[in-house]
Amino acid sequence: MASDTRRHVSGGPSAAAAPGGDPVAPAPPDPGAADASGTAFAAAPAPAPVPLPEASGPREAVTRLRSHGCWYPSAHPGGSEAAFICDRGGVPQLWAGPLYGDEVHLLDSLPDPVKEVSWSPDGRWIAYTTAPGGGEHTRVLCVRPDGTGRRVLAGADPGHTAHLGCWAHDGSAVAVTLAAPGAGPRRNGAGPTRADAVLPVNWADRDGRATLLGGTPYDTTPGPTQGATAVDGPESPVPSVRPDGGLSAYLIDPDGLASPVLLATETHAATLRVCDISRDGGFALLRRGPRGRREAVVRRTADSATTCIVPVADGDPWIGRFSPDRRTLWLRSDADREYAALLAVALGSDGRPHGTSVMAERPDSDLDLLAFSHDGRTAALSWNDRGESRLELVQPLPTRRAPYGPLPTTTVPLPHEVVTRVEAAGPRGLLPALSGSQRRPGVWWAAEGVSLMRTPWSSRDEDATAPDRRPVRPVLLRLTARDGLPLSGWYYRAPGRATGDPAPCVIHLHGGPEEHERPVFSPLYHELTGRGLDVFAPDVRGSSGHGRSFVDADLGAGRFAALDDVADCAAHAVPAGPADPTRLAVMGRSYGGYLTFASLVRHPELFRTGVAVCGMSDFATFFAGTEPWLAESAAHKYGHPERDRELLRELSPMTRIDALRVPLLAVHGEHDTNVPPGESEQFVRAARDRGIPAELLTLKDEGHDFLRADNRRLFRRAAADWLERHLRG
């Protein structure tokens, strides 16, 4: 193995070799040039590192919360230390410390929320992403473990967004995906109304593995959409949904000694992430595509040729890894399957697939998370078993090329219900982040074997729950939708109420739609149950964790059935909860916010009030104002803005605003560019015009996710006050 992976990925047209072998900056693509498929493209300009002051400020947070969480760990390759995200200072920030001590230190004291962390395989750098101002645009930075050398690697230019990819195995470079500013105007409001909306040209056809409204499903691959596909010639061009899309992936030297190397460019892409680079530097594993039709793509770095495409499941973006000899590709995939499993794809020397084997699977359970040790000999598998996690180890992984039979696994007992991330820590160590119905997220580790211990600096819950009121442990409820589809959800019963005593109840709907309700500690649910309100958090069709058919059941016109699911879940909460049928509310965030708006106008007799958080109210204005990558995915999920215009109009809550009968509270982050704030503004304005009490809470310095502790508290209390007033007053 050569000492510098960059030298192995710089031989193609994306980078030239300077005298001495170091790659020089690739020449900017000709705007009129075309890729192998004939599609014109222009890569986003390679980012230049921007030095920053050293990680200043105290090694401890200025304001230290007694109650906090720790999540997204990434271990030093030696396994003695970890970098992680912690909100003990009131905002998610980058921290690091030993796994066996409490001497943690703050590595970035800026108020920009941190979202991802990755320690380099050589231990010299920690890469991480931040969201400046709390919005949706992110940048990638790096810092040395002692706080020196801090710099922005990508995303420093105005309007650019950068996403973190994998490290080269020798630590010489880190992969970064860059989204250049769109050509179209950015809207922070609602965008044009339905009457004057100007839809972009070249919208994509219906897409995905399921058909939206009949006809032929759209397919981006030149071969079958299931199983491992070898790509003989150029890939089929991917029509755009938004004309201002496009993502470029680079390898960047954090030391700044070599120019960035262009790995891949995708025109009008929904997502693009570099998940692994083979140890010889010859191949890259990419994850791309919109929700519901993600793909694992193997590309030769020398000429950017695609050699293999395999459909993979939604969820965690870290989909797999090459074996050390690059003869096997390990993938978390639901290709040809109802539930995601661990697949092994045998690869030839040219990167083409030569057979696929199922290496680990569980009936009725998705493989949720997949991680590997640094030497590639051990795999950690986290399974989603009806909302709870089951963690297993596979060691050692086979060294010969697939195919071969199922692998034996070792079960790791868990102290809490859900694994949110799992990483390797040293040669044999394991570093999972856990959450549960009784605790905030925390980081656990096992130096040897499978016995987990909580890190001393991890989750602190003293402030979160009063000693006389512990968190409510939810109960799983099962029901059947009106069309026979099995549904389920978690019911949180407010403490102190007699058995059988009907309670006011909040139907809370998650986002996505592909998210999945898990039994984890929710400060919002804790606030509501403390006010004497029950909470029922169901998975309506379209949620993950219940198989591919369940995820696809809400596509296109199937969304009407998802809206019926909300009513069916509310009705089931009455005898099973028991909930008071005269005191029901509906609430949700993101897609759950859309379902809240839609349920209030489609089932006006069912709910007494609603709280919609960052929800869409009109699909025409949503498509006109959202991010290009999100528009690509949304067209697959909801319908084509031109061909399915009437469907989207019928699905839009604004179309039925005259049916609204009950008061509502809308909440939005001021910097939300996924679902622009105008989606809430126009619904609240229309409600007021019709004499319906409606309020809008806009949270400063927040985007689509509320990340600052003070804003989260304000949101929880405002929502609980509203619901208590309308359900109990």
Side-chain angles (χ1 to χ4, degrees), residues 383-713:
W383 303 89
N384 182 345
D385 184 6
R386 305 183 188 279
E388 298 186 270
S389 297
R390 303 288 181 261
L391 185 60
E392 296 178 333
L393 295 182
V394 178
Q395 55 183 358
L397 288 169
T399 55
R400 60 186 179 85
R401 195 175 79 170
Y404 30 72
L407 302 174
T409 61
T410 302
T411 299
V412 180
L414 297 176
H416 297 293
E417 293 99 323
V418 178
V419 179
T420 61
R421 180 172 167 82
V422 58
E423 283 288 298
R428 295 185 179 181
L430 189 65
L431 193 65
L434 305 180
S435 189
S437 61
Q438 306 298 297
R439 292 197 67 88
R440 288 178 179 271
V443 178
W444 298 65
W445 70 292
E448 297 286 343
V450 295
S451 179
L452 294 179
M453 297 176 289
R454 185 164 68 94
T455 53
W457 37 260
S458 198
S459 163
R460 303 288 171 83
D461 300 318
E462 295 89 346
D463 236 9
T465 60
D468 59 342
R469 190 170 70 83
R470 300 303 302 161
V472 173
R473 192 179 296 276
V475 175
L476 184 64
L477 298 185
R478 304 179 188 276
L479 65 146
T480 302
R482 63 190 65 183
D483 63 356
L485 185 69
L487 304 176
S488 64
W490 296 93
Y491 197 96
Y492 297 75
R493 179 70 164 160
R497 189 177 300 278
T499 302
D501 183 14
C505 182
V506 179
I507 309 299
H508 189 275
L509 305 163
H510 63 67
E514 304 90 348
E515 292 179 17
H516 181 31
E517 193 68 33
R518 312 294 291 268
V520 298
F521 174 74
S522 167
L524 173 63
Y525 297 173
H526 190 69
E527 180 89 29
L528 295 176
T529 56
R531 306 287 188 100
L533 309 177
D534 286 6
V535 176
F536 183 36
D539 284 333
V540 300
R541 68 191 69 202
S543 305
S544 61
H546 304 276
R548 169 54 57 184
S549 298
F550 195 88
V551 171
D552 287 343
D554 69 341
L555 293 184
R559 190 120 358 243
F560 294 112
L563 294 173
D564 289 336
D565 288 348
V566 178
D568 293 341
C569 289
H572 185 76
V574 172
D580 186 341
T582 67
R583 293 185 293 170
L584 297 177
V586 61
M587 178 181 183
R589 192 192 72 82
S590 190
Y591 176 69
Y594 159 75
L595 288 178
T596 298
F597 282 141
S599 296
L600 290 176
V601 298
R602 286 193 165 270
H603 308 291
E605 74 292 341
L606 189 57
F607 300 106
R608 184 177 286 191
T609 188
V611 179
V613 185
C614 300
M616 304 93 74
S617 62
D618 189 312
F619 280 110
T621 55
F622 164 70
F623 272 109
T626 188
E627 296 281 0
W629 68 267
L630 193 57
E632 292 279 349
S633 289
H636 164 68
K637 293 300 297 184
Y638 305 123
H640 190 288
E642 286 185 347
R643 295 174 179 82
D644 302 324
R645 186 190 300 260
E646 286 306 311
L647 168 69
L648 294 178
R649 183 181 183 280
E650 183 63 21
L651 287 170
S652 295
M654 285 294 293
T655 302
R656 290 175 169 253
I657 190 66
D658 288 337
L660 184 66
R661 296 290 181 269
V662 298
L664 74 123
L665 171 66
V667 186
H668 227 106
E670 68 168 341
H671 299 313
D672 190 350
T673 54
N674 287 4
V675 179
E679 294 296 304
S680 288
E681 294 168 5
Q682 64 191 5
F683 197 89
V684 169
R685 188 181 304 114
R688 289 176 173 177
D689 289 345
R690 287 156 177 80
I692 304 296
E695 299 293 338
L696 174 61
L697 172 62
T698 301
L699 296 179
K700 302 297 183 183
D701 298 321
E702 298 288 5
H704 196 59
D705 298 303
F706 305 154
L707 301 175
R708 304 179 191 278
D710 54 351
N711 280 333
R712 294 199 302 269
R713 284 193 297 267

Side-chain angles (χ1 to χ4, degrees), residues 61-101:
V62 176
T63 302
R64 189 165 184 169
L65 301 180
R66 291 176 60 203
S67 169
H68 64 260
C70 301
W71 63 95
Y72 215 101
S74 183
H76 181 279
S80 60
E81 299 177 86
F84 56 95
I85 300 174
C86 182
D87 62 354
R88 66 168 63 187
V91 64
Q93 292 175 301
L94 178 65
W95 293 74
L99 295 179
Y100 44 81

Side-chain angles (χ1 to χ4, degrees), residues 106-492:
L106 184 63
L107 288 177
D108 190 333
S109 59
L110 293 179
D112 295 335
V114 176
K115 293 196 166 184
E116 291 184 298
V117 181
S118 182
W119 207 315
S120 67
D122 60 7
R124 297 188 308 116
W125 291 99
I126 300 172
Y128 60 107
T129 61
T130 65
E136 298 309 308
H137 293 278
T138 56
R139 58 181 50 168
V140 175
L141 301 89
C142 68
V143 66
R144 295 192 185 277
D146 63 359
T148 62
R150 195 164 58 100
R151 64 195 63 181
V152 179
L153 295 182
D157 296 328
H160 283 71
T161 293
H163 304 281
L164 183 62
C166 67
W167 283 92
H169 285 274
D170 59 8
S172 62
V174 63
V176 171
T177 297
L178 192 67
R186 295 304 315 143
R187 300 182 179 90
N188 194 40
T193 63
R194 184 187 302 111
D196 61 1
V198 179
L199 293 174
V201 297
N202 299 325
W203 287 82
D205 275 328
R206 299 184 181 92
D207 49 18
R209 283 176 254 171
T211 301
L212 289 179
L213 295 176
T216 304
Y218 182 73
D219 178 19
T220 61
T221 67
T225 59
Q226 299 293 312
T229 302
V231 181
D232 297 309
E235 294 179 71
S236 302
V238 182
S240 66
V241 170
R242 286 284 293 268
D244 51 353
L247 299 170
S248 302
Y250 290 89
L251 270 182
I252 299 178
D253 175 12
D255 293 297
L257 301 179
S259 298
V261 175
L262 181 64
L263 284 177
T265 291
E266 294 281 342
T267 58
H268 313 293
T271 56
L272 180 67
R273 186 182 294 251
V274 184
C275 295
D276 194 24
I277 298 169
S278 62
R279 293 175 185 258
D280 62 6
F283 292 86
L285 172 63
L286 309 174
R287 173 187 179 264
R288 72 176 183 190
R291 299 177 308 192
R293 50 171 247 216
R294 309 287 194 197
E295 295 175 330
V297 179
V298 177
R299 279 189 176 166
R300 281 197 301 265
T301 56
D303 57 5
S304 297
T306 296
T307 62
C308 178
I309 296 176
V310 184
V312 292
D314 286 328
D316 187 71
W318 303 104
I319 55 174
R321 189 169 174 178
F322 294 107
S323 63
D325 62 3
R326 208 263 302 146
R327 297 189 302 171
T328 302
L329 176 63
W330 302 97
L331 283 178
R332 181 183 65 85
S333 172
D334 60 356
D336 295 317
R337 308 179 57 78
E338 185 69 15
Y339 292 91
L342 175 62
L343 302 187
V345 181
L347 298 177
S349 59
D350 57 358
R352 290 168 54 85
H354 291 276
T356 300
S357 305
V358 178
M359 306 314 305
E361 61 181 333
R362 277 188 167 220
D364 302 330
S365 296
D366 270 317
L367 180 57
D368 205 23
L369 301 171
L370 175 63
F372 297 87
S373 61
H374 291 296
D375 62 7
R377 296 300 312 280
T378 301
L381 316 177
S382 178
W383 303 89
N384 182 345
D385 184 6
R386 305 183 188 279
E388 298 186 270
S389 297
R390 303 288 181 261
L391 185 60
E392 296 178 333
L393 295 182
V394 178
Q395 55 183 358
L397 288 169
T399 55
R400 60 186 179 85
R401 195 175 79 170
Y404 30 72
L407 302 174
T409 61
T410 302
T411 299
V412 180
L414 297 176
H416 297 293
E417 293 99 323
V418 178
V419 179
T420 61
R421 180 172 167 82
V422 58
E423 283 288 298
R428 295 185 179 181
L430 189 65
L431 193 65
L434 305 180
S435 189
S437 61
Q438 306 298 297
R439 292 197 67 88
R440 288 178 179 271
V443 178
W444 298 65
W445 70 292
E448 297 286 343
V450 295
S451 179
L452 294 179
M453 297 176 289
R454 185 164 68 94
T455 53
W457 37 260
S458 198
S459 163
R460 303 288 171 83
D461 300 318
E462 295 89 346
D463 236 9
T465 60
D468 59 342
R469 190 170 70 83
R470 300 303 302 161
V472 173
R473 192 179 296 276
V475 175
L476 184 64
L477 298 185
R478 304 179 188 276
L479 65 146
T480 302
R482 63 190 65 183
D483 63 356
L485 185 69
L487 304 176
S488 64
W490 296 93
Y491 197 96
Y492 297 75

